[in-house]
Amino acid sequence: GILFSGFVNARLEEEKPIFNKQRIDFSPPEKINHFAVCNNQLCMSLGKDTLLRIDLGKPDQPNQIELGRKDDAKVHKLFLDPTGSHLLISLNTNECLYLNRNTQKVRSLSRWKGHLIESIGWNKLLGTETNTWPILVGTSQGQIYEAEISTSEGSLFNTNPDQYFRLVYTLDEDGRSAPVCCLEIERGIESKFFIIATTRKRLFQFIGKVPEGTEQQGFSSIFSQNADHFPSFQEFPANLGFSEIAFYTPKLRTSPRSFAWMMGNGVLYGTLDYTRPDSLLSDVQVWDYPPDIDFNFNKPISIVLTQFHFLLLLPDRVKAVCILNGQVVYEDVFPDKFGSLKKMTKDSAGGLVWIYTEKAVFRYHIQREARDVWQMYMSMSKFDLAREYCKDRPECLDIVLAKEAEHCFQNKKYLESAKCYALTQNYFEEIALKFIEAKQEDALKEFLMKKLNNLKPSEKTQITLLVTWLTELCLNRLGTLEGDESKRSLFLESREEFRKFLSSSKIKECLYNNRTTIYDLLASHGNVEDMVFFSVIMQDYERVISHYCQHDDYEAALEVLSKHRDEKLFYKFSPVLMQHIPRKVVDAWIQMGKKLDSKNLIPALVNYSQIGSTEQINETVRYMEFCVYELAVTEEAIHNYLLSLYAKYKPESLLLYLEQTVTHSSDIHYDLKYALRLCAEHGHHKACVHVYKIMELYEEAVDLALQVDVDLAKSCADLPEDDEELRKKLWLKIARHVVQEEKDVKKAMNCLSSCNLLKIEDILPFFPDFVTIDHFKEAICNSLEEYNKHIEELKQEMEEATESAKRIREDIQEMRNKYGVVESQEKCAACDFPLLNRPFYLFLCSHMFHSDCLHQEVSPHLSAYKQTKLEELQKKLLTTSQPTKSRHRPKEEDMASLGKGQLSRQQIKSDIDDIIAAECVYCGELMIKSIDKPFIDPQKYENEKSSWL
């Protein structure tokens, strides 16, 4: 078998033994007679009359108490309760003393007098530091008493600590009384209590229920429940003259899990099952004493139970026996100088084992007791337990797994063997060859699968190897099963397993990187279905769709396309699919919506709309309409193509489409010239008229409309609303057509009523020379009446204009004569200096300004254009020549020149006045417009600010 572990076991230091003995640094002043320890409280009897108490938490503060006995009484046994508070001292004079941890006074238990106490069953459920509550007491005569001890203050007439002491049961052996060697009380489930009592060769069990809340009333009811029949017991023929029972409790204040009873025939070991109704003991077995024990010289004295061992105390040594196989795993011989060993006990609080002689005290530390248990379980083929006890030691776990794998292989449990081998560090090649030689392909596959699951993502090479190998194995199996109809269900199960393997997320990256190899393997086995499945996993949808198309399964190809919604694949395969299933393809396109660029689908549509069937053409139109009306596509190619389809196949929809579009050419999404050519080629004149209207070619529209319908031409003639001349021209065309072509005078008269721009005189030239006037006599009369009415309106307007001009001349004359009075003390509203010192302006609002002050006030508010114009006018004013002073009489030419210069100067001044004096700067619009302007120009703000600093 393959039992070599891949681990290197390198220990840096020597491992400590399980049982580590230590001698206590303590030299008793007198010999030690008896010894008890519990809850870190140690009590020992020294000499004849001395009691020594030591709190192991404070070992340097021992407490020594004298019993104060005057007679020859000796200590028979010491009993210490689980809390370490209550100490019972049994004397060989059939008396019993009591000492509490918190007192120094030893008190006598008067009710207990006359009985030699051999054992105590403590109440672990209710016991406290001040009260034991009901306990059981076993005597040397086989009697079991129930008692209670309390240190609380009693009544005036009862100051004894023992509250009561009553007989509840009597044990015997072969009809004779026998000492009660041990008593143990345990509580099970549902208020059930178990009481274990032992004599020299019998083990009794008392089982009964105590009602909830009545535990303080004692255990009498349990014994009374067993009074009708003899209690169950186990008996062994040999005896040591005494017996002792030990229990193993994994944690403090929990129930014991196992027991070991030391009696004459060996050690009875078993577990405690609190759920059993008839017995607490379970899985019992008897381990014989080691062969070197001679009952005449060195029979066992005491026993202690641990998780996996029980320790036997002999007069000169300690033996540790494994409870799994009964083998002695440890032996410690004590030197003679310490004297013979007296007693061994275990403190469940600290887990320490104590041993004493008359001269010394020893203790054992138990360290990592379960360290080698896995080997024993492994040798017993209990691999589950072996793994449990070495799960934190990988080197040991590897050995156990290898052993289990080999065990399963030898028993032909190949699948279980493969699972175990996959968890070991053994050589991969050897294990694989082992299964190959045994022709166990399923086990080999299981082994490879488990190995693959245990690999780390970084181990890419190993993953690739295992994935490829597993793929080949699965394909071989599928090939073997495929042709056998009797194994159809197995074939389907195997294929499902293979596909689950291919879908595994852990190997997805490996499969993608090596997909070519996997494709080759699938192709070599001719496994087309799984190749398609693998392509889907790899998202290689192009390969899948190509496969379906090659096998004429177009609906399956479209299903893959629709499911994965890859627009590039739609563009590639739509031409083929459109040829065979046009309706479903268009449905798929519509479901894709805006994700597809319809422009990229045009080549396929154009191809099959030219050579395809009516269904293909209808589906093409349906998709184009979806793009235009639902998706609001503005691509010119789409609209042009739809127009071509309408023009060729659906002329009834062509005009409707054109009329739904807007009337302005800038908002049209198709080529107007292309649309015009299409409509002309296919003889759709109404559509051509509509296109002409959109192109604003109204004359062409009317000309063509007259060939179709006069009413259509009329609707076209009214379109140029802003160009009355063109409208009139268009209506004249219609009138000429009606008169000359249709020769319908009545309809021509209707044209006059339809357009207010036409007069009767406009259409009269169109009539032939010899035509009766009766048809348009009324129209001529109406026209003349309108002319007369228009002449009267013009006369009235002329009279009103003459009257208005007369009033204006009067107002001007009045304004020329208007004046204002300026007092000599008046001041300029801007500079506050006397007004009459310089030229000034006077406004109707009574504001007065110097001309230069008004210029300064108005200039900042003028626009750039007016400021520039004002500067130019001022320059012209300066350059204008002034009249020269001369004593001679001026000539006529000079006078004429002077008159023209004076006139020009006055005009310039008038223009300047129009700019700066058009209105009062304080009362006019300039002030209103400047209300939101800052007082200081932002560009001059910094300079102004610095001037104030």
Side-chain angles (χ1 to χ4, degrees):
I2 302 171
L3 293 176
F4 299 102
S5 172
F7 287 92
V8 177
N9 188 6
R11 294 179 178 174
L12 300 179
E13 59 183 16
E14 186 177 354
E15 201 167 30
K16 294 182 179 180
I18 296 175
F19 303 101
N20 185 18
K21 183 177 71 174
Q22 178 187 7
R23 183 189 174 190
I24 303 302
D25 186 14
F26 170 70
S27 298
E30 298 179 76
K31 68 177 182 178
I32 303 174
N33 297 323
H34 291 279
F35 184 96
V37 60
C38 207
N39 199 23
N40 284 330
Q41 301 296 318
L42 187 150
C43 300
M44 62 179 72
S45 170
L46 302 178
K48 179 183 176 183
D49 200 38
T50 304
L51 192 67
L52 183 65
R53 295 189 299 184
I54 300 175
D55 185 348
L56 296 178
K58 304 173 184 178
D60 54 343
Q61 301 177 13
N63 177 235
Q64 185 169 319
I65 298 174
E66 299 297 330
L67 297 180
R69 302 290 294 188
K70 302 298 183 181
D71 53 14
D72 294 333
K74 294 181 181 180
V75 175
H76 176 61
K77 282 186 179 181
L78 296 180
F79 304 99
L80 190 61
D81 80 310
T83 67
S85 302
H86 306 281
L87 177 65
L88 294 174
I89 308 163
S90 174
L91 303 179
N92 60 357
T93 57
N94 294 346
E95 293 179 84
C96 191
L97 306 178
Y98 170 74
L99 177 63
N100 189 273
R101 182 171 66 179
N102 298 321
T103 64
Q104 297 289 325
K105 183 179 180 181
V106 179
R107 306 176 71 178
S108 176
L109 302 177
S110 59
R111 291 187 175 91
W112 297 38
K113 197 168 184 178
H115 302 284
L116 181 62
I117 309 302
E118 293 287 347
S119 57
I120 298 290
W122 296 104
N123 194 329
K124 292 182 284 188
L125 179 65
L126 300 177
T128 63
E129 292 184 0
T130 59
N131 199 323
T132 64
W133 294 105
I135 60 175
L136 296 177
V137 181
T139 69
S140 59
Q141 300 300 316
Q143 298 159 331
I144 299 177
Y145 288 87
E146 184 180 81
E148 181 180 344
I149 300 174
S150 175
T151 59
S152 57
E153 292 296 331
S155 62
L156 180 63
F157 303 103
N158 182 20
T159 59
N160 293 328
D162 50 336
Q163 302 299 307
Y164 63 87
F165 190 78
R166 57 173 173 259
L167 179 67
V168 292
Y169 204 84
T170 302
L171 300 179
D172 63 7
E173 287 181 354
D174 302 327
R176 296 190 300 270
S177 61
V180 182
C181 299
C182 299
L183 281 171
E184 182 74 16
I185 305 170
E186 295 297 338
R187 181 178 180 177
I189 59 176
E190 298 178 354
S191 302
K192 185 183 290 185
F193 279 82
F194 299 89
I195 298 174
I196 296 177
T198 65
T199 59
R200 290 168 298 191
K201 58 180 183 179
R202 287 184 178 180
L203 187 149
F204 294 86
Q205 293 186 76
F206 299 90
I207 303 172
K209 285 189 176 183
V210 175
E212 191 75 28
T214 62
E215 292 88 351
Q216 297 180 2
Q217 297 179 9
F219 307 105
S220 302
S221 60
I222 298 176
F223 291 100
S224 63
Q225 293 173 25
N226 291 270
D228 298 338
H229 55 84
F230 201 73
S232 62
F233 66 90
Q234 288 182 311
E235 182 178 15
F236 294 88
N239 73 80
L240 299 172
F242 67 96
S243 70
E244 185 173 343
I245 192 168
F247 295 90
Y248 167 69
T249 304
K251 293 181 180 179
L252 187 63
R253 297 193 181 280
T254 59
S255 299
R257 297 291 178 83
S258 57
F259 75 98
W261 181 38
M262 184 183 72
M263 42 77 183
N265 290 79
V267 175
L268 179 68
Y269 172 80
T271 59
L272 301 179
D273 186 356
Y274 296 92
T275 62
R276 295 180 63 182
D278 54 345
S279 175
L280 179 63
L281 312 182
S282 177
D283 300 330
V284 295
Q285 58 181 328
V286 178
W287 291 113
D288 295 332
Y289 292 115
D292 59 343
I293 294 181
D294 186 353
F295 277 52
N296 295 323
F297 300 100
N298 59 345
K299 63 181 180 181
I301 302 172
S302 188
I303 187 171
V304 163
L305 181 62
T306 64
Q307 185 178 5
F308 295 104
H309 303 86
F310 58 83
L311 278 66
L312 291 175
L313 182 68
L314 303 173
D316 62 343
R317 67 192 64 201
V318 173
K319 289 178 178 288
V321 179
C322 179
I323 60 175
L324 300 178
N325 54 18
Q327 300 296 317
V328 178
V329 298
Y330 174 78
E331 186 171 1
D332 187 12
V333 180
F334 286 73
D336 294 337
K337 64 179 181 178
F338 298 121
S340 62
L341 303 179
K342 296 293 186 182
K343 185 73 173 176
M344 176 172 60
T345 185
K346 181 182 177 184
D347 184 1
S348 57
L352 299 178
V353 177
W354 296 82
I355 298 175
Y356 74 95
T357 68
E358 291 181 349
K359 302 177 181 179
V361 178
F362 302 89
R363 67 182 176 190
Y364 282 93
H365 290 270
I366 302 174
Q367 298 177 335
R368 296 181 58 235
E369 184 182 4
R371 68 182 71 169
D372 296 324
V373 171
W374 63 273
Q375 294 181 352
M376 301 177 190
Y377 281 128
M378 184 177 69
S379 63
M380 298 163 62
S381 297
K382 295 182 178 181
F383 299 108
D384 291 340
L385 293 172
R387 289 197 303 271
E388 178 68 23
Y389 286 102
C390 62
K391 59 185 178 182
D392 56 343
R393 300 172 64 183
E395 72 281 0
C396 301
L397 181 60
D398 193 70
I399 295 173
V400 173
L401 289 170
K403 181 69 175 178
E404 183 180 3
E406 182 63 24
H407 176 78
C408 293
F409 193 91
Q410 295 297 334
N411 290 292
K412 301 186 183 301
K413 298 179 181 179
Y414 297 111
L415 286 177
E416 290 82 352
S417 176
K419 292 176 184 178
C420 294
Y421 271 134
L423 298 174
T424 67
Q425 300 297 321
N426 293 343
Y427 296 122
F428 173 82
E429 299 84 353
E430 292 185 15
I431 299 172
L433 286 172
K434 193 177 180 72
F435 288 115
I436 292 172
E437 291 173 357
K439 297 182 179 180
Q440 295 298 320
E441 191 173 298
D442 289 344
L444 175 62
K445 188 172 70 173
E446 182 70 24
F447 170 69
L448 297 178
M449 192 70 75
K450 291 292 183 182
K451 271 292 185 185
L452 177 62
N453 293 333
N454 293 334
L455 289 177
K456 299 176 182 177
S458 59
E459 298 174 314
K460 298 184 183 297
T461 304
Q462 292 89 331
I463 292 175
T464 302
L465 170 66
L466 293 178
V467 167
T468 309
W469 196 352
L470 281 166
T471 303
E472 178 66 25
L473 288 174
C474 291
L475 290 173
N476 285 337
R477 180 170 179 79
L478 289 174
T480 304
L481 297 173
E482 188 172 11
D484 193 346
E485 286 297 329
S486 62
K487 298 181 180 179
R488 180 66 180 171
S489 60
L490 183 59
F491 167 74
L492 295 175
E493 183 181 343
S494 300
R495 187 171 68 180
E496 183 64 27
E497 182 182 350
F498 176 52
R499 291 185 174 184
K500 186 177 180 181
F501 166 70
L502 292 177
S503 305
S504 174
S505 58
K506 183 172 184 178
I507 62 172
K508 184 175 182 180
E509 182 182 356
C510 174
L511 289 173
Y512 183 80
N513 294 333
N514 299 277
R515 59 188 182 278
T516 304
T517 304
I518 304 299
Y519 279 132
D520 292 342
L521 285 174
L522 290 165
S524 66
H525 286 267
N527 196 329
V528 178
E529 292 184 6
D530 289 322
M531 182 184 291
V532 172
F533 179 81
F534 181 68
S535 300
V536 173
I537 293 174
M538 293 294 101
Q539 298 183 354
D540 190 0
Y541 304 119
E542 184 175 350
R543 184 186 294 266
V544 178
I545 298 168
S546 298
H547 166 78
Y548 286 135
C549 290
Q550 289 171 5
H551 290 78
D552 297 336
D553 194 353
Y554 301 107
E555 293 188 0
L558 182 60
E559 184 180 353
V560 175
L561 271 177
S562 303
K563 182 177 181 180
H564 300 287
R565 305 172 67 84
D566 188 338
E567 57 271 17
K568 293 181 180 179
L569 294 179
F570 266 101
Y571 301 146
K572 181 172 182 178
F573 291 99
S574 287
V576 178
L577 298 175
M578 190 68 184
Q579 186 178 4
H580 298 89
I581 48 173
R583 182 175 184 81
K584 292 184 178 180
V585 171
V586 171
D587 289 340
W589 289 349
I590 291 174
Q591 287 180 0
M592 289 289 288
K594 291 187 176 181
K595 194 172 183 182
L596 284 180
D597 187 354
S598 51
K599 185 172 60 177
N600 294 331
L601 296 172
I602 288 179
L605 294 173
V606 170
N607 183 29
Y608 294 110
S609 66
Q610 292 176 353
I611 65 173
S613 64
T614 304
E615 182 186 5
Q616 292 170 339
I617 294 168
N618 291 337
E619 294 304 321
T620 302
V621 172
R622 182 163 72 96
Y623 181 66
M624 289 292 99
E625 289 177 342
F626 171 76
C627 293
V628 170
Y629 298 124
E630 299 294 332
L631 300 183
V633 174
T634 59
E635 289 284 346
E636 187 176 282
I638 299 297
H639 287 264
N640 288 343
Y641 183 47
L642 181 59
L643 270 174
S644 68
L645 292 173
Y646 280 153
K648 190 173 182 180
Y649 302 108
K650 289 193 172 184
E652 69 278 2
S653 301
L654 175 62
L655 188 60
L656 180 63
Y657 167 75
L658 293 173
E659 289 175 349
Q660 285 180 345
T661 57
V662 292
T663 57
H664 199 277
S665 59
S666 61
D667 296 331
I668 301 299
H669 301 303
Y670 52 85
D671 188 340
L672 288 168
K673 294 180 180 179
Y674 175 73
L676 186 62
R677 185 170 69 251
L678 274 175
C679 296
E681 285 178 358
H682 294 88
H684 304 311
H685 297 302
K686 286 188 178 181
C688 288
V689 171
H690 191 78
V691 175
Y692 277 135
K693 288 194 297 184
I694 296 174
M695 297 173 70
E696 298 183 0
L697 300 175
Y698 301 116
E699 291 189 41
E700 289 82 351
V702 170
D703 291 341
L704 186 58
L706 289 173
Q707 299 177 20
V708 180
D709 184 9
V710 174
D711 292 335
L712 179 61
K714 289 180 180 179
S715 65
C716 296
D718 282 333
L719 291 176
E721 297 176 355
D722 299 333
D723 192 345
E724 291 188 354
E725 184 178 351
L726 179 58
R727 282 179 61 200
K728 185 174 181 180
K729 182 179 179 181
L730 296 177
W731 276 103
L732 285 174
K733 281 181 180 249
I734 296 171
R736 176 181 290 180
H737 175 80
V738 170
V739 172
Q740 295 180 353
E741 299 296 331
E742 298 186 4
K743 296 181 172 53
D744 190 340
V745 177
K746 189 175 181 180
K747 191 177 288 187
M749 293 301 100
N750 290 335
C751 291
L752 290 178
S753 61
S754 299
C755 179
N756 56 3
L757 298 178
L758 290 182
K759 304 297 180 183
I760 186 64
E761 58 269 26
D762 295 326
I763 64 172
L764 281 176
F766 301 146
F767 289 98
D769 294 336
F770 302 98
V771 64
T772 58
I773 199 172
D774 296 339
H775 294 290
F776 42 91
K777 176 181 177 181
E778 184 179 352
I780 293 174
C781 294
N782 290 337
S783 179
L784 292 174
E785 289 178 1
E786 287 182 4
Y787 278 128
N788 290 331
K789 185 178 180 181
H790 184 59
I791 290 170
E792 292 296 328
E793 289 176 354
L794 289 176
K795 285 182 179 180
Q796 186 176 355
E797 287 179 0
M798 290 173 64
E799 291 176 359
E800 290 176 355
T802 303
E803 184 67 22
S804 177
K806 181 180 178 181
R807 287 197 299 269
I808 290 172
R809 282 194 297 271
E810 292 175 354
D811 291 342
I812 291 172
Q813 187 63 34
E814 184 180 353
M815 287 297 295
R816 285 178 179 175
N817 298 327
K818 195 169 185 179
Y819 64 93
V821 178
V822 179
E823 302 290 340
S824 60
Q825 67 271 18
E826 295 290 346
K827 295 182 180 180
C828 174
C831 65
D832 205 29
F833 280 94
L835 184 69
L836 300 177
N837 290 347
R838 299 196 299 276
F840 65 90
Y841 288 92
L842 173 62
F843 292 95
L844 294 176
C845 60
S846 301
H847 283 123
M848 308 171 194
F849 300 92
H850 291 128
S851 59
D852 57 340
C853 293
L854 182 63
H855 181 273
Q856 290 177 0
E857 289 290 330
V858 173
S859 293
H861 301 285
L862 296 177
S863 63
Y865 169 73
K866 286 189 175 182
Q867 286 183 355
T868 305
K869 186 176 181 180
L870 181 61
E871 291 175 358
E872 290 177 354
L873 291 173
Q874 287 176 337
K875 289 178 181 179
K876 287 181 180 180
L877 185 63
L878 292 175
T879 56
T880 304
S881 59
Q882 297 288 342
T884 58
K885 293 182 179 180
S886 175
R887 293 181 180 179
H888 301 283
R889 188 174 179 178
K891 297 180 179 179
E892 291 181 4
E893 294 81 0
D894 294 337
M895 290 297 293
S897 167
L898 181 62
K900 290 180 179 179
Q902 189 72 17
L903 182 62
S904 175
R905 184 179 180 84
Q906 291 297 328
Q907 181 64 40
I908 293 171
K909 284 186 176 182
S910 177
D911 293 341
I912 292 175
D913 288 346
D914 289 341
I915 294 175
I916 66 173
E919 59 182 355
C920 176
V921 69
Y922 287 171
C923 303
E925 290 184 3
L926 288 179
M927 186 60 64
I928 296 173
K929 291 180 179 179
S930 66
I931 193 169
D932 60 342
K933 293 183 179 180
F935 292 111
I936 301 175
D937 189 350
Q939 298 179 354
K940 301 178 182 179
Y941 177 78
E942 292 297 331
N943 295 334
E944 188 71 22
K945 179 181 176 181
S946 60
S947 67
W948 283 79
L949 297 176

